[in-house]
Amino acid sequence: MKRLLLISTALAAVAAACPSFAQDPADDTLPSNTLPEVIVTATRLPAIQQDTPGARVIDSRAIEQRGAVFAADILTDIPGLSVTRSGLGGVAQVRMRGATPGKTLVLVDGAPVNDASEPNGAYDFSGFELGDIARVEVLSGPQSSLWGSDAIGGVIAFTTREIDGVRAEAEAGSYGTLRHRLAAGVANDRYAFGAWVSHYTTDGISVADAADGNPENDGFDSLTLGLKGRYAVSDAVKVDGSVRWTDSEADIDGFPAPTYALADTADTTDSQSWSGVVGTSVTALGLSHRFSVSASDIERANNGDFASVYQADRQVYRWQADGAALGDRLAYAFGAEREDTAGSISTGASVDLGTSSAFGVVRFDATDALSVTGGLRYDGTDDFGEKTTGRISAAYDLPAGFILSGAYGTGFKAPSVSQAVCDFCFSSVPVPTLRPETADSVEGAIGWASGDGRIDGRVTVYRLNVEDQITYFTAPVTFDSYYINIAQARTDGVEAEARALLGAGFDLTLAYAYTDAANATTGARLLRVPEHAGSATLGWSGERLSGALTIRAEGDQPDSGGVREAFVTANLNAAWQLTEVVTLTARLENLADERYQQVFGYGEPGRSGYVGIRLRY
């Protein structure tokens, strides 16, 4: 009881909204008296979230409750994720447990979408609209045993929505913002097909913080189209596929002469990207087989004094087989993959990289209380040798509703296209040969759920070590610039989270993250990772009226050129259901009109309001 009191007190004292009430993406309802059991699927074998260290799920209800428009709006709810955005419409990146952005693997319906032409291979979330997203799964910590390279920090997996009927939304508000969406489809047990289109446009604010004397507004425009379908040829054979295309254009600010300081400019950036997957599921030889081909393509152009055009594409061919034994106490999956990527560099040339892989994962329910999961993966890169990674985790149900879990895992990341050929390098001496980055992580968690199913929570303690981390180095005297492997980066952290049904229609989600990310050689803190971060979301659902108040806070964080100051901000979202098909919506952002920045020097909008209408048939 004393330990429970300490945990509850710590959770109540912090402020971090964590994803709430995940459920089946096709179900928009929520039981009024118990919290649903959350299932994670990005683990290759479906697993219970509370039994899976580092796993979190955001469902469509949480996205709608928060009024989140873009992925960057709600990923901040995940403890241990640092989301940085260079102004509205500017580059938005995620650091998981202190790992640099290129160490987060991003999947859309299972297709990897990281930008191979970005210097670190990172994904830009700035134009990732959530209107078609049913579910977001986050796996923190090294997940290379499941997904290979790029997963040292973890994995963020998006699942698009299956539609049955017609949905339409429209919204307008501050800064000349307009948003509208139309989706239609049909879905039943045998087949489903749906299509959607979303458009967002805003006059925006100055990307270079207007409070620093930069008054020019920088607009942002984004268009997303998508298709998704499935068909059961028979009980044993099923086919499915999806495709998602986004076109975005943003006004950005640059670094004009003679000061080369961030200031208002006429610079713009244009980006077109698409991803898709087609697959077949076959039951044969006592196993469930899944064959899939996925692809993604990104083309981005920066227009201004330092104009550039980059393109990247990726194809993944994957086979996975699932099975069970010992009366379903033993579940297993194994398979093979081939991934080919290509990305352009500053000269305009395209560089190819490739990896062939084999993997296996097993979960064994040793007793009704103890479950153990282990996985191994072999990756053979075309250019950087071979690597075998693994992960083992266990969960044990203790008396009085407690769950004790832990994991140890390893990971690796091959150099990106830019790093492999030393793009943007200027050196009078030979540049060093890069080694793949490697990582290991250990974590332990204790969770608790009340007997009546109305409260649950978890506290996680972890350490993440990254060896041979790749960074861009500039010599202080000669100004030679090139990529090097630094000895080690280390993150020690604590993540706390809780959910509660409070009664009278109220629900509460809390979380907190302490992240001590540093260069283990010099002791210097890693950039753009706040040591303390958190928020809290208080939701309410009535017969017709529903809403949520979210308060979010971040501490000071070191950044390029200075220290980004701490901030606290709050958002309010509400919906009024007029009829079974018509709902009015309203949201207020930055209620206290806080002047704050996510990235040093780049402004964020002040107090703003938006109203809309939502139709469902």
Side-chain angles (χ1 to χ4, degrees):
M1 178 61 79
K2 182 177 180 180
R3 179 178 293 181
L4 174 58
L5 181 60
L6 290 172
I7 294 172
S8 302
T9 302
L11 289 170
V14 301
C18 97
S20 59
F21 313 119
Q23 56 192 35
D24 189 294
D27 183 9
D28 289 328
T29 65
L30 178 73
S32 59
N33 57 350
T34 60
L35 292 167
E37 186 173 72
V38 183
I39 303 299
V40 184
T41 60
T43 47
R44 299 285 188 184
L45 290 174
I48 298 172
Q49 177 183 304
Q50 286 289 78
D51 293 346
T52 309
R56 283 94 179 188
V57 179
I58 306 171
D59 70 353
S60 57
R61 180 185 181 275
I63 295 171
E64 191 170 283
Q65 183 190 50
R66 283 287 313 278
V69 177
F70 293 101
D73 298 331
I74 202 162
L75 289 175
T76 55
D77 292 354
I78 304 293
L81 267 63
S82 172
V83 181
T84 55
R85 181 176 69 174
S86 301
L88 186 62
V91 174
Q93 295 182 328
V94 172
R95 290 164 170 79
M96 298 182 68
R97 292 185 172 177
T100 54
K103 297 181 181 65
T104 295
L105 178 65
V106 181
L107 307 169
V108 178
D109 287 338
V113 294
N114 288 50
D115 184 355
S117 67
E118 200 272 341
N120 297 295
Y123 183 74
D124 179 9
F125 288 87
S126 60
F128 198 106
E129 204 257 354
L130 291 172
D132 62 316
I133 298 301
R135 186 177 177 89
V136 186
E137 298 187 18
V138 177
L139 302 179
S140 298
Q143 304 294 335
S144 291
S145 65
L146 296 175
W147 298 102
S149 184
D150 298 341
I152 281 179
V155 174
I156 301 175
F158 296 89
T159 302
T160 56
R161 187 191 303 271
E162 202 170 83
I163 304 161
D164 187 17
V166 177
R167 297 187 176 198
E169 298 179 29
E171 184 182 66
S174 301
Y175 310 112
T177 300
L178 295 172
R179 180 171 65 92
H180 32 88
R181 179 176 184 270
L182 178 64
V186 59
N188 54 45
D189 291 340
R190 184 170 185 183
Y191 62 85
F193 181 79
W196 61 85
V197 56
S198 298
H199 181 239
Y200 176 93
T201 184
T202 182
D203 295 337
I205 63 170
S206 178
V207 171
D209 198 333
D212 293 333
N214 301 296
E216 176 205 36
N217 289 340
D218 296 302
F220 177 60
D221 189 276
S222 176
L223 175 67
T224 300
L225 306 174
L227 297 171
K228 184 168 187 173
R230 59 174 169 81
Y231 181 73
V233 179
S234 67
D235 291 341
V237 179
K238 301 174 183 178
V239 295
D240 61 84
S242 66
V243 63
R244 192 176 195 271
W245 177 83
T246 298
D247 182 15
S248 63
E249 179 179 351
D251 298 329
I252 59 175
D253 288 329
F255 299 83
T259 63
Y260 298 103
L262 181 63
D264 285 337
T265 66
D267 292 9
T268 63
T269 179
D270 304 318
S271 175
Q272 288 189 358
S273 64
W274 69 267
S275 65
V277 60
V278 59
T280 301
S281 299
V282 179
T283 301
L285 304 175
L287 298 171
S288 298
H289 302 266
R290 166 78 174 170
F291 305 89
S292 67
V293 178
S294 65
S296 63
D297 184 273
I298 299 173
E299 182 175 337
R300 51 187 174 88
N302 297 320
N303 309 301
D305 292 338
F306 304 97
S308 59
V309 177
Y310 292 92
Q311 186 168 0
D313 62 78
R314 182 188 310 258
Q315 300 85 40
V316 179
Y317 309 88
R318 179 180 300 141
W319 162 67
Q320 178 174 322
D322 298 358
L326 302 178
D328 293 335
R329 289 176 58 196
L330 179 70
Y332 56 89
F334 58 91
E337 294 179 357
R338 172 65 189 181
E339 178 177 298
D340 295 300
T341 61
S344 57
I345 58 177
S346 59
T347 63
S350 182
V351 178
D352 298 329
L353 299 175
T355 305
S356 299
S357 310
F359 62 88
V361 59
V362 176
R363 183 179 64 245
F364 178 56
D365 295 330
T367 68
D368 291 341
L370 176 63
S371 175
V372 180
T373 303
L376 283 175
R377 182 182 176 103
Y378 163 83
D379 290 284
T381 69
D382 293 351
D383 301 277
F384 298 101
E386 305 172 346
K387 195 66 182 177
T388 299
T389 54
R391 181 177 174 87
I392 186 168
S393 64
Y396 186 73
D397 292 342
L398 298 169
F402 285 93
I403 301 174
L404 185 65
S405 60
Y408 173 80
T410 61
F412 92 105
K413 184 182 187 306
S416 68
V417 165
S418 292
Q419 294 164 350
V421 299
C422 209
D423 199 18
F424 299 105
C425 293
F426 309 95
S427 179
S428 59
V429 298
V431 300
T433 300
L434 294 177
R435 301 178 298 276
E437 299 169 289
T438 59
D440 65 85
S441 176
V442 61
E443 60 187 292
I446 184 166
W448 177 79
S450 63
D452 61 5
R454 299 178 64 87
I455 304 173
D456 66 32
R458 181 169 61 180
V459 176
T460 304
V461 179
Y462 69 89
R463 167 169 285 184
L464 171 65
N465 295 305
V466 180
E467 300 279 353
D468 292 327
Q469 179 159 298
I470 298 173
T471 188
Y472 192 71
F473 168 77
T474 300
V477 177
T478 64
F479 297 104
D480 289 341
S481 300
Y482 45 85
Y483 291 101
I484 63 171
N485 291 99
I486 64 175
Q488 187 180 47
R490 174 179 292 169
T491 304
D492 293 309
V494 178
E495 298 165 353
E497 52 207 294
R499 311 179 298 167
L501 296 176
L502 304 178
F506 286 96
D507 60 77
L508 178 67
T509 58
L510 298 169
Y512 164 76
Y514 166 77
T515 310
D516 181 16
N519 182 322
T521 304
T522 66
R525 284 180 59 190
L526 299 183
L527 301 183
R528 298 185 178 178
V529 181
E531 193 170 35
H532 302 278
S535 61
T537 294
L538 178 64
W540 184 76
S541 299
E543 184 176 350
R544 292 186 177 274
L545 179 65
S546 62
L549 171 67
T550 298
I551 302 173
R552 185 166 62 91
E554 289 187 10
D556 293 344
Q557 70 178 26
D559 208 334
S560 300
V563 175
R564 197 286 324 266
E565 294 182 355
F567 67 85
V568 179
T569 187
N571 299 329
L572 179 64
N573 185 63
W576 176 264
Q577 186 173 343
L578 290 179
T579 70
E580 291 184 357
V581 298
V582 180
T583 301
L584 301 180
T585 63
R587 57 189 176 95
L588 294 172
E589 297 190 344
N590 196 357
L591 294 178
D593 201 24
E594 171 86 350
R595 184 207 163 190
Y596 73 101
Q597 301 173 346
Q598 290 191 24
V599 175
F600 182 73
Y602 293 85
E604 290 293 326
R607 184 186 298 114
S608 53
Y610 308 87
V611 294
I613 186 171
R614 185 165 59 229
L615 308 176
R616 293 183 176 177
Y617 297 94

